[in-house]
Amino acid sequence: MLLIRSSQLSKLIRARHISFLPNALIRGLQSSKSSCVSPAVLIGKPEKLQQPKQQRLSSRFTPCSAQMATAATDIEEIPEIQHEEHKLPPHPTGPQQKFRKDYAPPPYTISTVHLNFILGEETTTVTSRLHVLPNYGLLEEGAARPALQLDGRKDVKLVRVAVAGNELAAGQYMVTEKQLTLNNLPPGEFEVEVVTELRPQDNSTLEGLYKSSGNFCTQCEAEGFRGITFFLDRPDIMAKYTTRIEADEANYPVLLGNGNLKESGKLEGGRHYAVWEDPFPKPCYLFALVAGKLSMKERSFTTCSGREVALRIFVQENNLGKVDHALESLIKSMKWDEETFGLEYDLDLFNIVAVDDFNMGAMENKSLNIFNSRLVLASPETATDLDYSRIEGVVGHEYFHNWTGNRVTCRDWFQLTLKEGLTVFRDQEFTADMNSRAVKRIEDVMMLRSSQFTEDAGPMSHPIRPESYIKMDNFYTLTVYEKGAEVVRLYDTLLGKEGFRKGMDLYFKRHDGHAVTCDDFLAAMADANNVNLDTLGRWYSQAGTPNLHVSTLYDAASKTYTLTCKQNTPPSAGQDIKLPVLIPIKLGLLGPDGADVPLRLRGPDGSVTDLGTTGVLRFEEAESTFTFEGVEVEPVPSLLRGFSAPVKMHVEGQTDEQLLFLLAHDSDPFNRWEAGQRLARKLLLKLYAAAAAGGGADNAKDVGERCAAAGGVPDAFVGAYRAVLGDETLDGSFKAMAVSLPTGNELMDAIEGADPPLLHHVRMYVVKQLALQLRPELEALVAANDDKPGEPYHFTAAACAHRAIKNRCLAMLSSLEEPEITQMLLNRFKDATNMTDEIAALSCLVELAGPDRDVALASFYDKFKDEPLVLLKWLGLQATSNAPGNVALVKSLVDHPAFNVTNPNNCYSLFLGFGRSPVNFHAADGSGYAFMGDAVLRVDTINHQVAARMVSAFTTWRQYDKERQAMMRSQLERIVSHPGLSENVFEIASKSLK
Ligand code: PHE
Ligand code: ZN
């Protein structure tokens, strides 16, 4: 299925990025020829690492309670790489950095939690009764028992605290803004009761208990539970929860909690209550509660062992018609996890609630997932193919957390990738199986390259398992999620599907019901397969994207083909020296007819291993050679098939002819696409260099002239695109991606002192040249893929593929800016019967200057003014537009009635969207930067997490030219020195300046 609105591939990337605010395709293109995947033997002597030539890529004691974490004692640990502590300058109000190396088990654990919520319009009262167990072991004689320090938050008012049934008097405890300290505790087990008062209606941070659209809801990951009551707010405290909720019945008819409904009933004064009990021990970050006026749609799923599970989605009444796709996606997810991993759902009820105000994408609370409404609600008229696909992926992701995250959870937050990397990998595989594996892989790699690689090369670079943080919220990153998923994929590639499944089975067998570490995961994979994975373990400790350098040598006399592979990882903050990591190189060799030749790998002892036609080399030294025998003619190598490792690969001496050959013939669809990307990258960088040599240019015309003078777009390049467009064996979604240029972000990595508007104009020049020369092909594809009149919308792979290629062609044609084409786009915009086509046409029109743009935007607003999710699109399109002088329009949108600064989605669409416009955010006069600086400080007074995501727009400042660097830096300095700044924003801004 096609998940891409074809208008601009870069827009896909942007949209995906937002889906992981955290927090997410062609049939017939499976890599069917990847027949034999067996780990190969490493041959060749390890030598000292040589710096590859690059494209500028330089750069846990005694008895613990049953629920406590099991440490990786009997199993090997991921090797430690030396780290210098990445110390930060002091924040004016003194935020504390936490370090992974400081992990210590807590002196007490909690086995059961009884919560009683009295929800009110003014005050909400929470009574929490904890059963506390000692975890401090044997004390020396005369030694005092340790204090119990419970986490809290400024806006949580302590009303009463009692220990073992005795209320404590004022002098008997200590309470600060962040902590409640209890001393002189009784020996053995005891009860603690804490009563707190909250004002959820004033909680604009959307962490803890808050209100959204009049309903009560909670968000506790990572450290939001302390915003509800004083608690040991850390994931290695796993307890059983019972929750009683009491509220006014008319205003809050629906009362939901984790687990099973045990009791409910009416109370005096129009009030009612419900009691929920969760039989599974869980960390507090998985606690959830919802109370409100909600409508529900229900389906049922019979599990593999024959249990009936009720699946319910709760939304506001007017949205009840938009939940079928999410329900269907949930059923598919449940079935897939049974079939793929043997994992069955463990309760009789699974609830999803959609809320409009949510900082991230969605949250996997035990049996009560809470979703950002944009990841639940869909109808053909209001949601695009990309939205449908994201909903399927995120519903899957949250469901899959029930095993990877909830049943087995993280010991501490430094281990976040243990659950997130693994669950993203699982949702990627789910999507690949439901739709097209190749298209999904390409999409994921595009996002990784354009956004995670950038993060990993900048000042916020961190290992997938970070060493330190001030605010954990800031570490829900592309690195932890997406690179983390790539690292999980390394095990899968090396061990094969069966080996991976064995590792997963052992992981659950060892750790079900426990809070564990990344070391434990690696150990389960290694032990289940009886292999050594130490060098894979280094991926958890080292930041930065490794460089892989490959040179090839064909010896006609001996008919051998030798690959010499070198690797290095550039230094990053606090890590100067990096060790070689395990890079699985999946490869094939193409013979003269374009078919794969058999791979016969020679071992160090002269033995030969038959790898079939696609093999996996285990490369884990600074340098190694691999020799294949019986290669009759010099082959064209297809390396890193399926992007088998998240590295930057340079193939020495790779020619355009070889890339064109791969683009035409490679049996690995990923590498076919990749060859086209490499060609386009070379061309774009060459044209950029030529355009930049002519000095600053801020208009498309001058840039175009310079590009033309530098040779323009060669016929061979146009010919290759023509061949892809005309290839009847290729699916439309794949085609759409194959004729899309690498993103500006991706290219920026190879440009010193980049000028973003100039780069934008160069890309647009190439698009326009392609459109000029391929016009007949593009027009034919639009006609061939157009809907038949009256055809209803279907979210199927085939239907999505038609829309993808059609809309991609339209976007290319629109670059011609011919009145006739613009008129056609206006007609398509007016006549569109689904949001995919409507927004595709509108996004073309928004890039044009003139009255058509304004008319289209006004009519779209008018049509959808009561559809808040569609208005997000309307805001986002305007914000990201590269139409000249658009800063003024974006400024005016802040005051538009459709814009609500307290709603995260609104801020993400408008501000983050704006931050992705190469032309207007990066306007040469600094007006874009000033606007964003103001917005960060304003939003920080409302919601720290959202503001911290916004300030990231400045993190890449060192990539740009001197003038822009100075202006961006001065915004960061202004932000860092702002009185009352949140810890969230402080952490990102101060690290960016380092
Ligand atoms: N754990 C959520 C996910 O990845 C993301 C999330 C993190 C949501 C923190 C809210 C707060 O599925
Ligand atoms: Zn997740």
Side-chain angles (χ1 to χ4, degrees), residues 1-3 25-28 385 434-436 439 731-734 794-804:
M1 128 191 65
L2 171 65
L3 305 176
L25 319 182
I26 38 182
R27 292 206 184 275
D385 293 343
M434 294 300 113
N435 306 289
S436 153
V439 171
D731 165 284
S733 303
F734 180 86
H794 291 293
F795 179 67
T796 59
C800 292
H802 288 305
R803 289 187 285 270

Side-chain angles (χ1 to χ4, degrees), residues 856-968:
L857 281 167
S859 86
F860 190 81
Y861 177 74
D862 213 50
K863 182 169 172 191
F864 292 110
K865 55 181 175 307
D866 300 323
E867 293 280 356
L869 294 175
V870 180
L871 290 183
L872 294 174
K873 299 179 194 302
W874 179 81
L875 286 171
L877 273 184
Q878 295 174 82
T880 40
S881 169
N882 289 300
N886 196 49
V887 186
L889 172 71
V890 176
K891 279 186 176 162
S892 74
L893 285 174
V894 174
D895 300 315
H896 194 282
F899 179 74
N900 174 4
V901 73
T902 65
N903 175 271
N905 291 346
N906 276 250
C907 291
Y908 298 148
S909 290
L910 189 62
F911 300 126
L912 292 192
F914 180 69
R916 292 184 198 107
S917 158
V919 170
N920 293 297
F921 177 57
H922 293 285
D925 62 1
S927 54
Y929 302 146
F931 170 70
M932 187 70 97
D934 293 345
V936 168
L937 292 175
R938 177 174 177 213
V939 173
D940 197 36
T941 62
I942 301 164
N943 187 319
H944 309 328
Q945 284 188 38
V946 173
R949 295 210 172 265
M950 288 164 56
V951 80
S952 307
F954 293 112
T955 300
T956 53
W957 63 278
R958 283 189 186 82
Q959 292 186 331
Y960 309 112
D961 56 64
K962 288 274 167 299
E963 293 73 29
R964 288 187 171 89
Q965 283 195 20
M967 292 188 290
M968 292 178 87

Side-chain angles (χ1 to χ4, degrees), residues 676-693:
Q677 292 291 295
R678 285 181 180 257
L679 281 165
R681 180 183 167 97
K682 276 176 146 176
L683 173 64
L684 287 161
L685 290 174
K686 177 188 150 201
L687 295 177
Y688 178 87

Side-chain angles (χ1 to χ4, degrees), residues 20 22-23 219 221-222 285 358 360-364 397-398 401 419-420 476 481 945:
F20 270 98
N23 175 157
Q219 172 52 45
E221 187 178 2
Y285 81 84
F358 201 74
M360 312 280 245
M363 181 62 211
E364 69 265 25
H397 180 98
E398 305 311 329
H401 268 312
K419 76 171 174 87
E420 295 304 348
Y476 287 77
Y481 275 67
Q945 284 188 38

Side-chain angles (χ1 to χ4, degrees), residues 695-703 706 755 757-758 761 884 919 924-925 964:
D698 56 8
N699 71 82
K701 189 164 164 285
D702 289 354
V703 175
R706 290 178 199 173
D755 175 338
L758 182 64
H761 293 317
V919 170
D925 62 1
R964 288 187 171 89

Side-chain angles (χ1 to χ4, degrees), residues 419-677:
K419 76 171 174 87
E420 295 304 348
L422 179 53
T423 306
V424 171
F425 171 77
R426 279 155 49 69
D427 85 52
Q428 289 176 348
E429 288 297 292
F430 167 61
T431 299
D433 286 345
M434 294 300 113
N435 306 289
S436 153
R437 184 159 286 275
V439 171
K440 174 62 176 162
R441 190 66 190 137
I442 292 167
E443 284 187 337
D444 290 339
V445 173
M446 284 172 57
M447 180 178 41
L448 194 78
R449 280 181 173 155
S450 76
S451 303
Q452 194 279 326
F453 280 17
T454 307
E455 183 171 272
D456 226 353
M460 269 299 290
S461 172
H462 53 279
I464 62 167
R465 182 186 59 193
E467 297 299 331
S468 70
Y469 62 81
I470 293 176
K471 287 299 287 183
M472 188 55 211
D473 314 326
N474 286 331
F475 286 83
Y476 287 77
T477 60
L478 288 161
T479 296
V480 167
Y481 275 67
E482 306 299 314
K483 185 178 181 182
E486 293 299 321
V487 171
V488 173
R489 190 172 293 280
L490 299 178
Y491 298 95
D492 184 78
T493 302
L494 283 165
L495 306 172
K497 286 276 164 252
E498 255 176 59
F500 189 80
R501 172 68 192 267
K502 278 202 243 160
M504 289 288 278
D505 289 350
L506 185 59
Y507 176 65
F508 293 119
K509 189 171 163 214
R510 281 182 177 167
H511 304 298
D512 185 16
H514 293 106
V516 302
T517 65
C518 298
D519 294 329
D520 297 321
F521 183 77
L522 183 140
M525 284 288 162
D527 295 351
N529 291 281
N530 197 22
V531 291
N532 183 318
L533 296 173
D534 290 353
T535 49
L536 197 161
R538 291 175 187 163
W539 282 96
Y540 291 88
S541 325
Q542 297 189 158
T545 308
N547 295 306
L548 170 63
H549 180 278
V550 185
S551 55
T552 60
L553 185 75
Y554 181 65
D555 182 31
S558 62
K559 300 199 185 317
T560 56
Y561 188 66
T562 302
L563 301 176
T564 302
C565 304
K566 298 175 191 171
Q567 62 165 299
N568 81 313
T569 305
S572 52
Q575 276 188 334
D576 290 336
I577 297 166
K578 306 279 171 90
L579 299 174
V581 291
L582 198 168
I583 301 176
I585 304 176
K586 190 170 179 176
L587 83 167
L589 301 176
L590 276 66
D593 60 350
D596 288 327
V597 305
L599 301 175
R600 296 167 42 82
L601 182 69
R602 188 195 284 166
D605 56 355
S607 66
V608 170
T609 314
D610 189 348
L611 298 182
T613 55
T614 293
V616 179
L617 304 174
R618 182 175 165 130
F619 173 48
E620 56 188 340
E621 306 285 343
E623 179 174 341
S624 300
T625 60
F626 302 89
T627 298
F628 296 94
E629 290 190 356
V631 184
E632 297 297 329
V633 182
E634 178 162 8
V636 174
S638 167
L639 303 170
L640 221 62
R641 280 186 165 173
F643 201 61
S644 60
V647 300
K648 293 178 183 172
M649 180 173 68
H650 177 75
V651 184
E652 200 173 296
Q654 191 173 46
T655 62
D656 284 3
E657 288 67 40
Q658 287 176 327
L659 289 169
L660 289 164
F661 190 75
L662 290 170
L663 177 57
H665 301 292
D666 203 320
S667 64
D668 180 59
F670 177 87
N671 265 4
R672 254 186 109 163
W673 170 82
E674 174 76 348
Q677 292 291 295

Side-chain angles (χ1 to χ4, degrees), residues 129-148:
R129 190 156 45 81
L130 312 175
H131 189 79
V132 180
L133 309 173
N135 192 48
Y136 44 75
L138 287 176
L139 294 173
E140 269 177 46
E141 248 193 67
R145 282 181 289 279
L148 175 59

